[in-house]
Amino acid sequence: MVDTIIVGARVRTLASESSDAADAVAITAGRIAATGPRAQVLPLAGPATELITHPEATIIPGLVDAHSHPIYSLGIVRGLSLTGVHTHAELLAALERGRSEQEGEEWFLAWGLDPTAFEGRPISNAALHEVLGTDRPAYIKMFDAHSGIASASALARAGIDAPFMHPDGSGAASDADGRLTGHLIEFPTMEIVEKELPAHGFADRVTQLRGLLQEMAAVGITAAHVMDLQDDDALDLLAAIESDGELPVRLRISPWVTPETTDEQVADLVAMQGRGGLRYRIEGVKFFIDGTVEGGTAWLSRPDSEGEGLSSTWVPAEAYAERIRQFDHEGVPTATHAIGDRGIRFAAETLAALPTGGVPHRIEHIESVEDDVIALIGRSGIMASMQPTHCTHHVHADGRDDWSRRLGAERAARAWRTADVRRSGATLALGSDWPVAAFDPWEIMADAQRRRSVAVQGSVPVGIEQALTATEALEGYTTHAHRSIGSDAGALVVGAPADLVVVDRDPLTCSPEELLRTRVLLTLVDGAPTHSAS
């Protein structure tokens, strides 16, 4: 018997064969039982069938954020948000406001700062000291989550009393006179200070994570590809939420593999595959071939404007390739963070050389890439995962941003080539990389079509020729997101899980400006509501 029938103005099934006349979906035992015109679907109803009607709405498959860090973000999104800060004056003003808001707190915490706000000044703790003084421990997590800024007091507490730099570009930076600037580059260095930060209790973390996932469901997200398992209590948090009910969002978790990962740990990661709960499971692993352009740790074919960017996270890089082959042999999918052109090339060549017919492998980010590498990705069946708002929120057409300045005009002109990746025949999954960027999928899909920040009036497109169509953008959050992990889900077809979203407009025909204002009326996972608009 049919459990639920949802009737709207139209259904966008995203199936290869679909009818424009479809305006109803039937659900039985958490799966799609039928789609089609209401005249055909409504007769399937029984006495106990729930009928949900939204006369002007569009029904679409559930949205998948293909790159996100919801659990890891709990330790990042703390204190003052600096995501709207773009100038040095705005930074000082925000810190002044934050000082008042965090009065009485031992530590001052902030997050989300774009280095462009320094307007050419060296990235340092000078602004923290100017506003807060040198005696207060303070820490800012930069927007890319690969670097941070610590005050002198915070450095002292962590025992960092001298600059240092590792071959991969990570370390504690110095000024021209050899003094610590407070700029901490990459995870191992940041963790030295972050271990000193005040910790949140387990119960508070459960509440925060449940709330975050509910916020994701409220914008239509039904699943997220979680690109880490860094928090020791991550699985315990998820189990605790499911002990009181079901997760609002499905989570596919891919733990990190680093150059320090031992053979024994690799075996453990292989054994962990498939472990999880009702709506979360460990599937795949995550690699980093490099860092970020802004931090000087992206692996480039030639130095950036600061003379940096010539090293991989893996030294030698062949050690990365050997680990990739090992996981492929074990049938474990991989995802590789690759941002610089040399890093993307090496990752693509490594994946293209694997035996055919195996598990899917992805490259994440792909910020600046050359023509032949895109062609290689397309013909080799390598999956691509990109985040359009990283470009539209942080890169400017005039090149004044830190990313463009470091790369120079030639490489900056190859920014986030989403359209070229699609035209190559590659699968292209879209996502946010939350908390690096907001997880609102409607803003991301809107920006992907305009190649500018649709939310900012007067913003100028960056590489308009790389704009996606409305269909390509929606596919990036549905069918292509699923295809990128070897799944044929993401379309509203009979037998598929009833993960779907009811929205107040048609995302395939409305303008990107209208798309930005999308209101989610209902989100279902397994046919059960995870969000319902009041």
Side-chain angles (χ1 to χ4, degrees):
M1 185 182 73
V2 171
D3 298 323
T4 307
I5 293 177
I6 305 174
V7 178
R10 67 198 62 82
V11 178
R12 297 296 191 183
T13 67
L14 294 194
S16 55
E17 296 182 4
S18 61
S19 170
D20 291 338
D23 60 5
V25 176
I27 300 168
T28 300
R31 292 191 171 270
I32 304 296
T35 64
R38 69 185 70 187
Q40 296 177 7
V41 176
L42 286 174
L44 301 176
T49 300
E50 180 185 12
L51 178 62
I52 300 173
T53 302
H54 290 285
E56 305 300 322
T58 302
I59 305 168
I60 63 173
L63 305 180
V64 180
D65 189 323
H67 192 120
S68 185
H69 300 274
I71 305 172
Y72 190 48
S73 75
L74 301 180
I76 296 176
V77 184
R78 302 179 62 181
L80 176 69
S81 171
L82 298 174
T83 56
V85 170
H86 303 291
T87 67
H88 194 256
E90 289 173 351
L91 173 59
L92 293 175
L95 293 177
E96 291 279 5
R97 184 176 70 254
R99 179 178 63 178
S100 175
E101 293 172 353
Q102 297 184 41
E103 186 177 2
E105 299 289 338
E106 180 184 14
W107 278 78
F108 176 89
L109 300 175
W111 63 281
L113 179 61
D114 187 327
T116 302
F118 288 90
E119 297 182 298
R121 298 172 178 84
I123 298 173
S124 76
N125 52 21
L128 284 173
H129 293 165
E130 180 177 341
V131 176
L132 303 171
T134 59
D135 294 333
R136 186 172 184 185
Y139 183 64
I140 299 174
K141 193 90 162 189
M142 300 295 282
F143 91 97
D144 61 4
H146 281 249
S147 56
I149 302 172
S151 68
S153 177
L155 293 172
R157 289 196 181 204
I160 299 176
D161 56 9
F164 60 89
M165 200 61 62
H166 298 301
D168 62 3
S170 64
S174 64
D175 62 17
D177 296 321
R179 296 172 297 195
L180 281 167
T181 64
H183 187 202
L184 309 177
I185 304 168
E186 292 298 338
F187 303 108
T189 312
M190 292 186 294
E191 287 171 1
I192 300 172
V193 170
E194 290 171 3
K195 289 177 180 177
E196 303 298 320
L197 301 182
H200 285 156
F202 183 80
D204 288 339
R205 285 167 60 78
V206 168
T207 299
Q208 291 169 359
L209 180 57
R210 182 188 287 113
L212 173 62
L213 297 178
Q214 287 171 340
E215 290 173 7
M216 289 182 166
V219 293
I221 295 173
T222 58
H225 299 167
V226 180
M227 289 297 169
D228 70 272
L229 189 61
Q230 290 305 99
D231 297 75
D232 293 338
D233 62 355
L235 299 182
D236 294 332
L237 291 170
L238 297 174
I241 294 174
E242 286 201 334
S243 70
D244 292 332
E246 294 176 316
L247 290 174
V249 175
R250 299 184 192 273
L251 301 178
R252 176 188 184 269
I253 304 169
S254 298
W256 287 359
V257 179
T258 71
E260 291 73 38
T261 302
T262 65
D263 290 340
E264 182 179 4
Q265 290 169 329
V266 167
D268 289 342
L269 288 171
V270 173
M272 289 173 68
Q273 299 298 304
R275 177 183 171 187
L278 294 173
R279 287 186 180 165
Y280 68 94
R281 72 179 185 278
I282 295 173
E283 183 178 306
V285 292
K286 164 78 177 300
F287 285 78
F288 291 83
I289 196 64
D290 62 1
T292 68
V293 169
E294 293 87 349
T297 53
W299 190 13
L300 304 173
S301 57
R302 62 182 188 276
D304 65 14
S305 63
E306 304 295 320
E308 298 175 329
L310 294 181
S311 295
S312 167
T313 301
W314 292 73
V315 181
E318 175 56 30
Y320 155 84
E322 178 55 35
R323 283 297 194 211
I324 288 284
R325 291 189 288 267
Q326 189 173 2
F327 280 103
D328 180 73
H329 178 74
E330 295 289 347
V332 177
T334 69
T336 298
H337 165 121
I339 280 180
D341 53 3
R342 183 69 186 94
I344 300 166
R345 178 180 295 276
F346 190 85
E349 290 173 348
T350 298
L351 298 177
L354 295 173
T356 59
V359 293
H361 298 283
R362 277 184 12 186
I363 300 179
E364 310 294 315
H365 306 309
I366 314 180
E367 292 190 3
S368 178
V369 63
E370 296 160 307
D371 292 348
D372 63 319
V373 179
I374 292 179
L376 177 63
I377 290 171
R379 69 173 179 266
S380 301
I382 298 167
M383 307 298 176
S385 169
M386 300 175 73
Q387 301 76 42
T389 50
H390 289 199
C391 177
T392 60
H393 286 190
H394 298 287
V395 176
H396 299 278
D398 60 8
R400 70 179 186 274
D401 58 279
D402 209 55
W403 188 89
S404 299
R405 180 187 63 78
R406 275 187 174 264
L407 288 184
E410 178 186 349
R411 288 182 292 196
R414 300 196 291 257
W416 283 268
R417 298 174 63 181
T418 47
D420 286 343
V421 169
R422 275 294 304 245
R423 307 302 184 265
S424 77
T427 293
L428 176 58
L430 300 180
S432 65
D433 199 10
W434 168 259
V436 174
F439 53 75
D440 181 355
W442 310 105
E443 180 177 23
I444 293 169
M445 287 188 281
D447 281 19
Q449 295 173 61
R450 288 287 191 243
R451 293 289 294 192
R452 63 177 178 83
S453 178
V454 177
V456 177
Q457 188 173 6
S459 61
V460 179
V462 176
I464 188 62
E465 72 281 358
Q466 296 302 325
L468 296 180
T469 66
T471 298
E472 289 169 339
L474 186 57
E475 287 174 341
Y477 264 91
T478 53
T479 52
H480 276 233
H482 283 279
R483 193 183 303 168
S484 74
I485 59 170
S487 166
D488 61 1
L492 299 180
V493 296
V494 173
D499 295 0
L500 57 84
V501 185
V502 182
V503 293
D504 67 346
R505 64 202 67 204
D506 185 352
L508 297 188
T509 60
C510 72
S511 70
E513 289 73 19
E514 293 172 329
L515 187 66
L516 190 67
R517 297 189 292 273
T518 297
R519 182 168 178 252
V520 175
L521 306 175
L522 182 66
T523 305
L524 300 183
V525 175
D526 288 326
T530 57
H531 166 74
S532 181
S534 56

